[in-house]
């Protein structure tokens, strides 16, 4: 105890925080709970139970590092009871030799939600060619619960080798729903989406909408940096448009109040840096939701022990937030 008190004296000045650093989203209520016991905070998503309301958002596929990353992410999901979305499985349409990079169901376990992923442009082509059975084969072979469709018009526009979307994505997704019998999640890739797009999606019988809001990894800016051309620079203003996670949550809440919907689950992602962001956004959502993170997990995904330590810290922090913080209205 004496050593601890000496530490307090020597660190007192360093530990001072100005009032400008106060996180004003919360009321801190130290009188109303004890320290949380255990790591579990069960929630339902996509017909399965998660031990904690965290989702590993789609990140990578088709690279030499994908296997290690996917295996470590699936393993940590299995250990802590989280759901997982794979990165783009497009490469599996070209060659089956990469299946082992994505085949991680056994590490995750059958009791947790696990989804494959394809882009809207590839989905358009498969529907036009009456080849959706190729997607269904991927879903079956990887033993996923369903499919994520990522909608990325700005990313494709910036990408030097990008594809072009030929019709409104809502029409393509509606067509997909008519020909498959497994759950579909729809997401953006880092710009989020506005009121009308959210309204149109929530009226479809899809399993969930993932927000993928502005504020996280911006794939439009990434492709602009990759291209490094005068054309990309001219279009750069488009990379700065979009909607934050809290803005999208509030739009969804408004839609739920005023319009009939058929989809009633959210994955809140995009700009979620830590458990405090997640706790705040989940508390604000009127729809059942989990919080998704991508780059935060990816930072540690090639070293399992570091990844595990990161997840433990996030889960413990989330449980403390549940106990002692109340979100301001």
């Amino acid at each position: 105890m004496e050593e601890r008190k000496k530490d307090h004296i020597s660190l007192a000045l360093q530990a001072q925080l100005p009032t400008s650093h106060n996180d004003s989203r919360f009321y801190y209520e130290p009188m109303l709970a004890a320290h949380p016991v255990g790591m579990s905070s069960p929630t339902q998503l996509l017909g399965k139970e998660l031990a904690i309301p965290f989702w590993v958002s789609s990140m990578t596929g088709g690279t030499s590092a994908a296997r290690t990353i996917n295996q470590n992410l699936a393993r940590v999901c299995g250990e802590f009871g989280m759901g997982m979305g794979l990165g783009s499985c497009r490469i599996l349409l070209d060659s089956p030799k990469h299946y082992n990079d994505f085949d991680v169901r056994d590490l995750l376990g059958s009791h947790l939600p696990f989804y494959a992923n394809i882009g809207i442009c590839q989905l358009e082509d498969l529907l036009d060619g009456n080849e959706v059975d190729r997607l269904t084969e991927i879903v079956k072979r990887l033993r996923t619960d369903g499919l994520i469709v990522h909608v990325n018009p700005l990313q494709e526009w910036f990408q030097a080798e990008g594809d072009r979307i030929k019709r409104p994505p809502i029409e393509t997704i509606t067509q997909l729903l008519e020909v498959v019998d497994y759950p579909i999640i729809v997401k953006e890739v880092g710009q989020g989406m506005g009121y009308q797009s959210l309204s149109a999606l929530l009226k479809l019988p899809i399993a969930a909408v993932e927000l993928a809001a502005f504020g996280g990894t911006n794939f439009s800016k990434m492709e602009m940096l990759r291209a490094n051309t005068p054309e990309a620079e001219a279009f750069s203003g488009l990379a700065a448009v979009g909607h934050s996670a809290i803005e999208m949550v509030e739009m969804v809440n408004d839609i739920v109040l005023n319009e009939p919907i058929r989809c009633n689950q959210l994955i809140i992602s995009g700009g979620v840096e830590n458990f405090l962001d997640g706790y705040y956004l989940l508390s604000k959502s009127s729809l059942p939701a989990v919080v998704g993170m991508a780059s935060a997990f990816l930072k540690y995904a090639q070293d399992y022990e570091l990844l595990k330590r990161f997840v433990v810290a996030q889960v413990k922090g989330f449980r403390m937030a549940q106990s002692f913080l109340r979100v301001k209205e």
Side-chain angles (χ1 to χ4, degrees), residues 51 72 80 84 101 104 113-114 116 119 153 155 167 185-186 196 212 224 230 240-241 263 282 294 306:
N72 283 342
F80 290 94
M84 178 176 174
D101 295 345
V104 294
F114 177 48
Q155 181 191 10
R167 57 185 178 272
I185 297 172
V186 181
Q196 292 183 19
M224 181 186 73
V241 302
C263 171
L282 291 177
L306 287 178

Side-chain angles (χ1 to χ4, degrees), residues 230-244:
E231 292 81 6
E233 186 175 349
F235 291 128
S236 62
L238 287 172
V241 302
H243 302 275
S244 68

Side-chain angles (χ1 to χ4, degrees), residues 1-10:
M1 184 173 68
E2 183 177 348
E3 290 301 315
R4 174 163 54 87
K5 293 302 180 182
K6 287 180 180 178
D7 288 343
H8 288 176
I9 293 170
S10 65

